[in-house]
Amino acid sequence: MACGSVSCCLNGSSSLRLSVASSSSTKAFSKRMASIPIPPLNPKDPFLSKLASAASISPNLIQPNKNDDTPPFLDLFDTPKLMATPAQVERAVSYNEHRPRKPPPDLPSLLLHGRIVYIGMPLVPAVTELVIAELMYLQWMDPKQPIYIYINSTGTTRDDGETVGMESEGFAIYDAMMQLKNEIQTVAVGAAIGHACLLLAAGRKGRRYMMPHAKAMIQQPRVPSSGQMPASDVIIRANEVINNRDTLVKLIARHTGNSIETISQVMRRPFYMDSIKAKEFGVIDKILWRGQEKIMAEAASPDEWDKMAGVRVADGI
């Protein structure tokens, strides 16, 4: 018994010493923490006001004690739940709120959402199919809102003149434009050659635009490669090309306001037009200058520069 009582006393005394030591170390740690200066906070910091508003509307968060001498939410570190709030508020008020929540769509779909149809390739069957489908879709979505067609195409030929598509590809898009109930506005952003120039001129009068350094060109349709065709088939194809040329001349004359004879004359050879010349010819109505209207209005035309410089253009060139 004696030994047992002595051991109990020893255990009790050791426990007492441990508790006293732990309490003293805690007090010392508290004193050291109290001596560490707290970094200054700006009471007008917008982050703190956002944090306060987020905490006030969250019923699960414990509100800190209000003290007029303490900046807003300076003692939020005493509450674990409030510690998670800054990250939530920071995501809400920082640049992350402008990030999409899901992967963005492909660019043609993004343009289509803005009612923009972009023709950036020669008029081959795949391009014609897509353009007509987009036009029909936009009319189905809203038959009263305008449709914007941006054109950067060499028509049914490549830039080197080789035929890549049938003339019917351009006529198909043109007929679709004429059948729509929507107002069609066209913009040339690069090149509008051949049938692409027809599509540019087929927009609504007053709503046909062109970038300052874009080009337009009209030319006669070309005969596709005949290969080993019989002579009779070559003649049939040549007659078809002539019929397509006559149709193209009539349509361009209708939309530009020029006579059929004038269009036929200029189309004997490739007829290139810059933005100013295209406006004078009636292909477009307005050049999309960016604050350069006054500068370009005061600039002399190429013919005037040649005249002032004493340059004479030889006949037939």
Side-chain angles (χ1 to χ4, degrees), residues 84-272:
T85 306
Q88 299 174 2
V89 176
E90 186 177 4
R91 284 197 301 269
V93 299
S94 69
Y95 61 90
N96 285 328
E97 65 179 348
H98 302 292
R99 291 185 175 181
R101 301 303 178 189
K102 57 183 180 179
D106 57 295
L107 289 180
S109 300
L110 200 60
L111 294 176
L112 192 64
H113 182 70
R115 305 188 66 81
I116 296 175
V117 177
Y118 181 67
I119 305 177
M121 295 179 63
L123 302 181
V124 296
V127 175
T128 302
E129 176 186 1
L130 178 61
V131 171
I132 294 179
E134 290 180 341
L135 293 175
M136 295 173 64
Y137 171 77
L138 291 176
Q139 178 184 244
W140 176 77
M141 286 294 294
D142 192 341
K144 296 182 180 180
Q145 292 295 324
I147 298 175
Y148 310 93
I149 300 181
Y150 284 66
I151 301 173
N152 182 20
S153 173
T154 56
T156 57
T157 62
R158 296 193 311 191
D159 54 354
D160 59 358
E162 181 181 352
T163 302
V164 294
M166 298 179 63
E167 304 298 325
S168 58
E169 306 296 339
F171 292 138
I173 299 177
Y174 172 82
D175 290 337
M177 293 172 57
M178 296 298 103
Q179 293 296 325
L180 293 181
K181 301 177 182 178
N182 305 74
E183 173 186 303
I184 304 294
Q185 302 184 19
T186 55
V187 183
V189 296
I193 297 175
H195 277 267
C197 186
L198 170 63
L199 301 181
L200 173 63
R204 181 182 175 183
K205 286 289 184 69
R207 302 291 183 177
R208 302 172 301 177
Y209 307 100
M210 198 171 187
M211 294 295 181
H213 303 100
K215 296 289 183 181
M217 189 264 279
I218 54 178
Q219 63 181 354
Q220 296 189 43
R222 296 177 179 270
V223 180
S225 177
S226 58
Q228 300 296 326
M229 285 187 180
S232 57
D233 293 351
V234 174
I235 295 176
I236 293 174
R237 285 205 171 191
N239 291 332
E240 180 63 19
V241 171
I242 293 174
N243 292 334
N244 291 334
R245 180 201 62 186
D246 295 341
T247 303
L248 184 62
V249 167
K250 293 177 182 178
L251 294 177
I252 293 178
R254 176 192 303 175
H255 292 286
T256 60
N258 294 292
S259 63
I260 295 178
E261 292 75 14
T262 301
I263 302 299
S264 300
Q265 180 66 28
V266 299
M267 278 183 59
R268 290 180 180 274
R269 304 297 298 169
F271 182 67
Y272 285 91

